[in-house]
Short mmCIF file of all heavy atoms in Angstrom, two decimals:
data_model
loop_
_atom_site.label_atom_id
_atom_site.label_comp_id
_atom_site.label_asym_id
_atom_site.label_seq_id
_atom_site.Cartn_x
_atom_site.Cartn_y
_atom_site.Cartn_z
N ALA A 49 -8.09 2.41 25.24
CA ALA A 49 -6.78 1.65 25.00
C ALA A 49 -6.27 0.99 26.22
O ALA A 49 -5.79 -0.14 26.18
CB ALA A 49 -5.76 2.53 24.31
N GLU A 50 -6.25 1.83 27.31
CA GLU A 50 -5.76 1.38 28.63
C GLU A 50 -6.69 0.23 29.15
O GLU A 50 -6.16 -0.77 29.61
CB GLU A 50 -5.70 2.56 29.58
CG GLU A 50 -5.44 2.15 31.05
CD GLU A 50 -3.96 1.91 31.24
OE1 GLU A 50 -3.20 1.90 30.34
OE2 GLU A 50 -3.54 1.73 32.52
N ILE A 51 -7.98 0.39 29.12
CA ILE A 51 -8.88 -0.63 29.68
C ILE A 51 -8.75 -1.94 28.84
O ILE A 51 -8.85 -3.00 29.36
CB ILE A 51 -10.38 -0.07 29.68
CG1 ILE A 51 -10.42 1.10 30.60
CG2 ILE A 51 -11.32 -1.14 29.93
CD1 ILE A 51 -11.69 1.83 30.50
N MET A 52 -8.59 -1.78 27.51
CA MET A 52 -8.51 -2.99 26.76
C MET A 52 -7.19 -3.76 26.70
O MET A 52 -7.05 -4.91 26.74
CB MET A 52 -8.90 -2.68 25.25
CG MET A 52 -10.37 -2.47 24.99
SD MET A 52 -10.76 -2.24 23.27
CE MET A 52 -10.16 -0.56 22.93
N ALA A 53 -6.10 -2.86 26.80
CA ALA A 53 -4.77 -3.50 26.75
C ALA A 53 -4.45 -4.26 27.97
O ALA A 53 -3.69 -5.27 27.92
CB ALA A 53 -3.68 -2.31 26.50
N LEU A 54 -4.71 -3.76 29.15
CA LEU A 54 -4.25 -4.32 30.41
C LEU A 54 -4.74 -5.81 30.50
O LEU A 54 -3.84 -6.72 30.77
CB LEU A 54 -4.74 -3.53 31.68
CG LEU A 54 -4.06 -2.17 31.86
CD1 LEU A 54 -4.55 -1.55 33.15
CD2 LEU A 54 -2.54 -2.33 31.90
N PRO A 55 -5.99 -6.13 30.36
CA PRO A 55 -6.24 -7.54 30.48
C PRO A 55 -5.73 -8.44 29.38
O PRO A 55 -5.23 -9.57 29.59
CB PRO A 55 -7.87 -7.68 30.41
CG PRO A 55 -8.23 -6.36 29.85
CD PRO A 55 -7.17 -5.34 30.28
N MET A 56 -5.46 -7.86 28.10
CA MET A 56 -4.88 -8.60 27.01
C MET A 56 -3.52 -8.92 27.30
O MET A 56 -2.92 -9.82 26.84
CB MET A 56 -5.14 -7.79 25.72
CG MET A 56 -6.57 -7.80 25.36
SD MET A 56 -6.67 -7.15 23.65
CE MET A 56 -8.57 -7.32 23.46
N ILE A 57 -2.81 -7.93 27.97
CA ILE A 57 -1.37 -8.17 28.34
C ILE A 57 -1.28 -9.40 29.32
O ILE A 57 -0.39 -10.29 29.10
CB ILE A 57 -0.72 -6.98 28.96
CG1 ILE A 57 -0.66 -5.79 27.88
CG2 ILE A 57 0.67 -7.21 29.60
CD1 ILE A 57 -0.22 -4.43 28.51
N LEU A 58 -2.12 -9.31 30.25
CA LEU A 58 -2.13 -10.45 31.27
C LEU A 58 -2.51 -11.75 30.72
O LEU A 58 -1.96 -12.82 31.05
CB LEU A 58 -2.91 -10.10 32.51
CG LEU A 58 -2.56 -8.84 33.28
CD1 LEU A 58 -3.62 -8.49 34.35
CD2 LEU A 58 -1.19 -9.02 33.88
N LEU A 59 -3.35 -11.79 29.73
CA LEU A 59 -3.82 -13.02 29.16
C LEU A 59 -3.01 -13.50 27.87
O LEU A 59 -3.27 -14.48 27.32
CB LEU A 59 -5.24 -12.85 28.64
CG LEU A 59 -6.33 -12.67 29.79
CD1 LEU A 59 -7.57 -12.35 29.22
CD2 LEU A 59 -6.41 -13.88 30.67
N HIS A 60 -1.92 -12.64 27.63
CA HIS A 60 -1.05 -12.98 26.41
C HIS A 60 -1.79 -13.00 25.10
O HIS A 60 -1.55 -13.86 24.32
CB HIS A 60 -0.17 -14.32 26.73
CG HIS A 60 0.61 -14.12 27.85
ND1 HIS A 60 1.66 -13.39 28.02
CD2 HIS A 60 0.52 -14.74 29.11
CE1 HIS A 60 2.26 -13.55 29.22
NE2 HIS A 60 1.52 -14.30 29.93
N VAL A 61 -2.62 -12.15 24.82
CA VAL A 61 -3.46 -12.09 23.72
C VAL A 61 -2.62 -11.44 22.55
O VAL A 61 -1.82 -10.49 22.78
CB VAL A 61 -4.78 -11.24 23.90
CG1 VAL A 61 -5.46 -10.94 22.71
CG2 VAL A 61 -5.66 -11.76 24.94
N PRO A 62 -2.81 -11.97 21.30
CA PRO A 62 -1.88 -11.46 20.31
C PRO A 62 -2.39 -9.98 19.92
O PRO A 62 -3.50 -9.58 20.19
CB PRO A 62 -2.25 -12.38 19.05
CG PRO A 62 -3.48 -13.08 19.43
CD PRO A 62 -3.54 -13.16 20.93
N LEU A 63 -1.39 -9.27 19.36
CA LEU A 63 -1.62 -7.84 19.09
C LEU A 63 -2.70 -7.55 18.11
O LEU A 63 -3.48 -6.68 18.33
CB LEU A 63 -0.31 -7.23 18.55
CG LEU A 63 -0.35 -5.67 18.16
CD1 LEU A 63 -0.54 -4.88 19.42
CD2 LEU A 63 0.79 -5.34 17.39
N HIS A 64 -2.84 -8.42 17.00
CA HIS A 64 -3.92 -8.21 16.13
C HIS A 64 -5.29 -8.15 16.71
O HIS A 64 -6.18 -7.44 16.18
CB HIS A 64 -3.77 -9.22 15.00
CG HIS A 64 -4.34 -10.56 15.22
ND1 HIS A 64 -3.43 -11.54 15.74
CD2 HIS A 64 -5.62 -11.10 15.13
CE1 HIS A 64 -4.16 -12.66 15.94
NE2 HIS A 64 -5.41 -12.40 15.61
N LEU A 65 -5.52 -8.94 17.79
CA LEU A 65 -6.88 -8.91 18.38
C LEU A 65 -7.03 -7.58 19.11
O LEU A 65 -8.24 -7.01 19.04
CB LEU A 65 -6.96 -10.04 19.40
CG LEU A 65 -8.32 -10.19 20.12
CD1 LEU A 65 -9.42 -10.52 19.08
CD2 LEU A 65 -8.26 -11.41 21.10
N LEU A 66 -6.05 -6.95 19.78
CA LEU A 66 -6.30 -5.64 20.24
C LEU A 66 -6.41 -4.63 19.26
O LEU A 66 -7.32 -3.66 19.39
CB LEU A 66 -5.05 -5.30 21.17
CG LEU A 66 -4.84 -3.97 21.71
CD1 LEU A 66 -6.11 -3.70 22.73
CD2 LEU A 66 -3.52 -3.75 22.50
N VAL A 67 -5.77 -4.81 18.20
CA VAL A 67 -6.02 -3.82 17.00
C VAL A 67 -7.43 -3.79 16.58
O VAL A 67 -8.04 -2.77 16.38
CB VAL A 67 -5.04 -4.12 15.74
CG1 VAL A 67 -5.32 -3.25 14.58
CG2 VAL A 67 -3.58 -3.93 16.26
#
Side-chain angles (χ1 to χ4, degrees):
E50 173 79 349
I51 292 171
M52 287 187 283
L54 289 183
M56 291 188 180
I57 291 171
L58 297 177
L59 295 173
H60 300 290
V61 172
L63 178 69
H64 74 267
L65 184 59
L66 176 58
V67 172

